[in-house]
């Protein structure tokens, strides 16, 4: 018969789980950064990718399929398959991500990364430590996210600088809110008593994917708002 864990043991296991989530998120960001950096060393490689529209859009579609597959089916996979899918998605994201090196100065990319890291870290810490329920914040941000997706799609045709400004800065606010909300949500995802199991690893991969997407999207919005174009 399993003995109930003490409050201190629950807190330790929850903290260990969050550390594991951040470790996987960091691994994903590292893979994305390394792949994008590798391609940035040869701008011609990036130009070839952009000019081959079938390949470029094929990679974007593959990324979408992978992220939906991982988000929807992670708990039905083996831990090794979940890990492989997450890292493969991060690598493909690095390939398409490399395009920003054609648009923005490297100093702007670095500045946006550090601003994102600081903002993300502060909001994630808030989400982890706050006693307030951030469910309403998450729902509001999700509705806002749908709005900026629709606005961005409309602006693909309208080319409105004002709409671009609104979706960029609204996106920053939305992903700041989602970072705090998702961290709190991930904290509650941990099933106490399964530390070190395959289920624990898959839960961590699922949480890492959420935070990875928050970080990447926040970075892109901040880069768009602050970046110096070539």
């Amino acid at each position: 018969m399993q003995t109930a864990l003490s409050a201190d043991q629950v807190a330790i296991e929850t903290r260990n789980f969050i550390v594991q989530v951040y470790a996987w998120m960091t691994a994903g960001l590292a893979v994305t950064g390394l792949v994008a950096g590798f391609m940035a060393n040869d701008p011609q490689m990036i130009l070839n990718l952009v000019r081959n529209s079938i390949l470029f859009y094929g990679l974007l579609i593959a990324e979408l399929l992978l992220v939906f597959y991982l988000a929807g089916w992670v708990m039905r996979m083996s831990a090794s398959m979940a890990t492989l899918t997450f890292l493969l998605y991060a690598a493909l994201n690095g390939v398409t991500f490399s395009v920003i090196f054609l648009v923005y100065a490297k100093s702007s990319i670095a500045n946006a990364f550090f601003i994102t890291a600081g903002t993300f870290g502060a909001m994630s810490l808030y989400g982890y430590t706050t006693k307030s329920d951030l469910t309403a914040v998450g729902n509001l941000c999700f509705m806002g996210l749908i709005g900026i997706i629709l606005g961005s799609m409309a602006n693909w045709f309208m080319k409105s600088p004002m709409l671009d400004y609104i979706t960029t800065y609204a996106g920053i606010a939305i992903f700041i809110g989602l970072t705090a909300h998702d961290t709190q949500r991930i904290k509650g995802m941990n099933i106490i008593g399964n530390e070190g199991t395959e289920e624990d690893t898959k839960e961590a991969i699922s949480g890492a994917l959420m935070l990875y997407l928050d970080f990447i999207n926040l970075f892109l919005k901040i880069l768009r708002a602050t970046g110096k174009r070539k």
Side-chain angles (χ1 to χ4, degrees):
M1 182 175 180
Q2 188 175 5
T3 304
L5 298 177
S6 68
D8 286 344
Q9 289 172 315
V10 169
I12 291 171
E13 187 169 327
T14 299
R15 186 163 58 247
N16 290 342
F17 175 72
I18 293 296
V19 169
Q20 185 181 182
V21 169
Y22 273 98
W24 281 117
M25 183 202 75
T26 302
L29 290 174
V31 169
T32 298
L34 287 171
V35 172
F38 170 76
M39 293 194 65
N41 287 327
D42 185 359
Q44 188 60 45
M45 190 186 304
I46 304 175
L47 283 171
N48 291 338
L49 172 65
V50 173
R51 288 168 180 167
N52 189 333
S53 57
I54 294 177
L55 176 59
F56 184 72
Y57 287 108
L59 287 173
L60 290 178
I61 292 170
E63 284 182 57
L64 286 174
L65 292 175
L66 275 176
V67 77
F68 283 124
Y69 172 63
L70 183 58
W73 297 85
V74 61
M75 299 311 293
R76 301 186 185 184
M77 305 177 191
S78 65
S80 57
M81 178 58 72
T83 302
L84 179 62
T85 304
F86 175 61
L87 295 179
L88 177 59
Y89 169 71
L92 287 179
N93 212 21
V95 173
T96 55
F97 218 63
S98 64
V99 173
I100 65 174
F101 288 96
L102 294 180
V103 180
Y104 297 98
K106 289 184 178 180
S107 59
S108 292
I109 294 172
N111 288 338
F113 176 82
F114 287 118
I115 293 171
T116 303
T119 305
F120 178 91
M123 295 310 299
S124 192
L125 179 62
Y126 172 75
Y128 181 76
T129 58
T130 185
K131 302 299 182 183
S132 302
D133 185 354
L134 300 179
T135 301
V137 173
N139 291 338
L140 183 63
C141 288
F142 181 73
M143 289 187 290
L145 179 60
I146 293 174
I148 64 168
I149 290 173
L150 293 175
S152 297
M153 290 173 62
N155 207 35
W156 182 270
F157 303 99
M158 296 168 59
K159 309 295 184 185
S160 166
M162 178 56 70
L163 186 54
D164 181 66
Y165 178 89
I166 292 171
T167 56
T168 296
Y169 284 92
I172 291 173
I174 286 167
F175 286 108
I176 285 175
L178 283 175
T179 297
H181 168 265
D182 289 346
T183 302
Q184 186 178 76
R185 180 183 171 193
I186 291 164
K187 183 180 176 182
M189 279 170 47
N190 183 37
I191 298 175
I192 301 300
N194 74 346
E195 187 172 11
T197 65
E198 281 222 347
E199 295 299 307
D200 186 50
T201 300
K202 290 186 286 186
E203 289 165 9
I205 292 291
S206 179
L209 177 64
M210 276 190 245
L211 293 183
Y212 173 92
L213 291 172
D214 289 339
F215 188 101
I216 289 293
N217 283 288
L218 180 59
F219 168 76
L220 289 174
K221 293 298 182 183
I222 289 175
L223 179 61
R224 191 171 186 84
T226 65
K228 181 179 179 182
R229 292 175 178 264
K230 291 183 176 178

